[in-house]
Amino acid sequence: VKRILEEIKPQKRGVMLVRPGVNLPTLGCLLLLAIHAGITLTGGTHLPSESLRPLYETIALSWSGIKEGKVSALLIHGLFHGDWLHVATNAFLFFYTTARLGHVLRPAKILVLFTICSVGAGLAYVLSQAIIPTLSSDPLVGASGGVMGMFLAQTVIYPDSRMLFLPASGRNIGRGFLVASLLLFLMTPSLGIPMFSDLGRWMVEGFGERLFKIGHLYHFAAGLMGVTTIGYLLPRLVTLEELQSERMKREHGLTPTR
């Protein structure tokens, strides 16, 4: 009896991950790190925007690049990063999100979700540059679009679980992320939105101009894509009515015994 009670005793809640190995989380991390290592060995990425190397001019995402026909940047910009902190953060989040999503999705569907979120966020980024001339025209690279989309998708799948080291539920983290990203975008000083831009200039004084070098609209769009897309990728669950119907078919199909 004691052994049975120990088996059914509630377990401590924690994060379900996978061990590093031949799996999507590990291989994805290694790919992002290997690409950035190769870029670093051939000259690095810390160059002024006006003298970016030809490779980054091709793969970095911007409205000016799209107008020149560099549409492939929508797909491949997520594989390249600006510095080691950038790629390390995205590699860690890629491992975390794909490991959790792997409990309910096959690797192929996880990659589909990553691509949808990355491309969708990229479209939002270039369209915002096209529509709002005062926005920065800087090109964008990084896997944060796909990663943030997957991270928000898992908050839909695990709404009551704790995410990473944050003492909040997945539901609240997802909502908070979307609201914060949208507000930070609206606070971009160059937009000139009354009150919002004033707050943005005040935040620049405290945190520096780098705060608004981040693609907040890009992240918002990626999270929104993850939240709205995940439902179409989840396996279809069998309903109670379907189970009852199958049971009735089996029962009616049985031949009576004598």
Side-chain angles (χ1 to χ4, degrees):
V1 174
K2 183 178 179 180
R3 181 177 61 82
I4 295 175
L5 290 175
E6 289 178 351
E7 289 179 355
I8 66 175
K9 183 171 64 175
Q11 300 294 319
K12 184 178 180 181
R13 297 177 66 179
V15 177
M16 296 176 63
L17 295 179
V18 297
R19 298 190 179 200
V22 184
N23 50 50
L24 180 60
T26 305
L27 296 178
C29 284
L30 292 178
L31 176 63
L32 295 178
L33 293 171
I35 289 175
H36 190 72
I39 294 296
T40 302
L41 292 173
T42 57
T45 61
H46 291 89
L47 294 173
S49 57
E50 64 271 14
S51 59
L52 285 172
R53 296 186 304 118
L55 173 63
Y56 267 67
E57 290 180 350
T58 301
I59 59 90
L61 185 63
S62 67
W63 174 239
S64 60
I66 294 295
K67 288 193 297 182
E68 293 174 3
K70 299 171 183 176
V71 182
S72 60
L74 284 169
L75 287 172
I76 61 176
H77 74 276
L79 299 177
F80 298 81
H81 294 81
D83 54 46
W84 280 108
L85 178 61
H86 191 198
V87 68
T89 301
N90 281 336
F92 170 75
L93 288 174
F94 183 90
F95 186 96
Y96 176 81
T97 53
T98 52
R100 289 189 63 117
L101 289 172
H103 293 289
V104 292
L105 293 178
R106 294 183 181 276
K109 285 194 173 183
I110 295 177
L111 291 177
V112 168
L113 177 62
F114 177 88
T115 303
I116 289 174
C117 295
S118 183
V119 173
L123 284 172
Y125 183 77
V126 296
L127 288 176
S128 67
Q129 287 184 334
I131 296 171
I132 310 173
T134 56
L135 279 180
S136 170
S137 59
D138 290 343
L140 178 144
V141 292
S144 56
V147 166
M148 291 301 177
M150 294 193 301
F151 185 79
L152 268 289
Q154 68 171 337
T155 66
V156 175
I157 299 175
Y158 308 110
D160 297 315
S161 67
R162 297 296 184 264
M163 297 289 168
L164 292 174
F165 312 108
L166 303 176
S169 66
R171 181 187 295 106
N172 291 333
I173 289 176
R175 292 171 179 172
F177 175 85
L178 289 175
V179 171
S181 297
L182 182 58
L183 287 176
L184 284 169
F185 171 70
L186 295 176
M187 290 179 190
T188 303
S190 62
L191 287 178
I193 301 176
M195 189 176 71
F196 285 100
S197 291
D198 294 334
L199 287 172
R201 284 187 283 270
W202 174 76
M203 294 183 73
V204 167
E205 293 178 1
F207 300 98
E209 294 183 357
R210 186 175 177 83
L211 177 63
F212 292 102
K213 294 291 184 181
I214 301 171
H216 297 297
L217 180 63
Y218 180 77
H219 292 159
F220 172 78
L224 198 61
M225 291 295 296
V227 169
T228 56
T229 303
I230 186 62
Y232 298 99
L233 297 175
L234 290 173
R236 196 180 74 84
L237 300 178
V238 180
T239 65
L240 178 60
E241 290 75 13
E242 290 174 331
L243 290 173
Q244 292 174 338
S245 175
E246 289 297 323
R247 180 179 178 182
M248 291 181 63
K249 289 179 181 178
R250 290 196 302 270
E251 291 177 347
H252 287 299
L254 293 176
T255 55
T257 57
R258 295 183 180 178

